[in-house]
Amino acid sequence: MPENDLRKRMDEFQDLFVEARLCIEDAQESQETTYFAEDLDAAQEAVDEAVAAFKGIVNDIEDKDQKNSVLRSNGLKVEQLKGELQMIIDGHGHHH
């Protein structure tokens, strides 16, 4: 994938990632309030979006070195995001 395209898509992913982090923080802070279910839904949506964007980028990269580089630099962040969301879900016993 051309560097410019990759950079643009990674910027979009970064924005989604930041948004997801903020939503997770909101959900953590609202755990004892009536807003929690709403915040949790928003967090799940934001995390799904960020994860989907990241997977899309990785799937579209044909160059192996480029793909590995993206996975190395961001793969852990994506897993961390999913983990943080899961901790809130597990900690609250909130099931969909």
Side-chain angles (χ1 to χ4, degrees), residues 17-41:
F17 178 80
V18 169
E19 180 63 29
R21 290 299 304 261
L22 291 173
C23 289
I24 286 172
E25 281 172 27
D26 286 348
Q28 281 170 329
E29 287 166 13
S30 70
Q31 278 190 22
E32 302 308 313
T33 72
T34 52
Y35 301 111
F36 178 67
E38 218 172 282
D39 285 347
L40 183 61
D41 283 346

Side-chain angles (χ1 to χ4, degrees), residues 31-86:
Q31 278 190 22
E32 302 308 313
T33 72
T34 52
Y35 301 111
F36 178 67
E38 218 172 282
D39 285 347
L40 183 61
D41 283 346
Q44 281 179 304
E45 236 170 78
V47 169
D48 288 348
E49 232 180 293
V51 169
F54 183 69
K55 282 184 178 161
I57 292 168
V58 170
N59 290 338
D60 289 346
I61 297 175
E62 285 168 20
D63 181 73
K64 211 171 72 173
D65 292 337
Q66 195 179 41
K67 186 179 291 215
N68 287 338
S69 160
V70 167
L71 283 168
R72 252 199 321 275
S73 56
N74 292 281
L76 200 62
K77 286 199 326 198
V78 172
E79 290 309 311
Q80 202 179 354
L81 206 57
K82 293 196 285 193
E84 285 174 20
L85 178 66
Q86 198 55 53

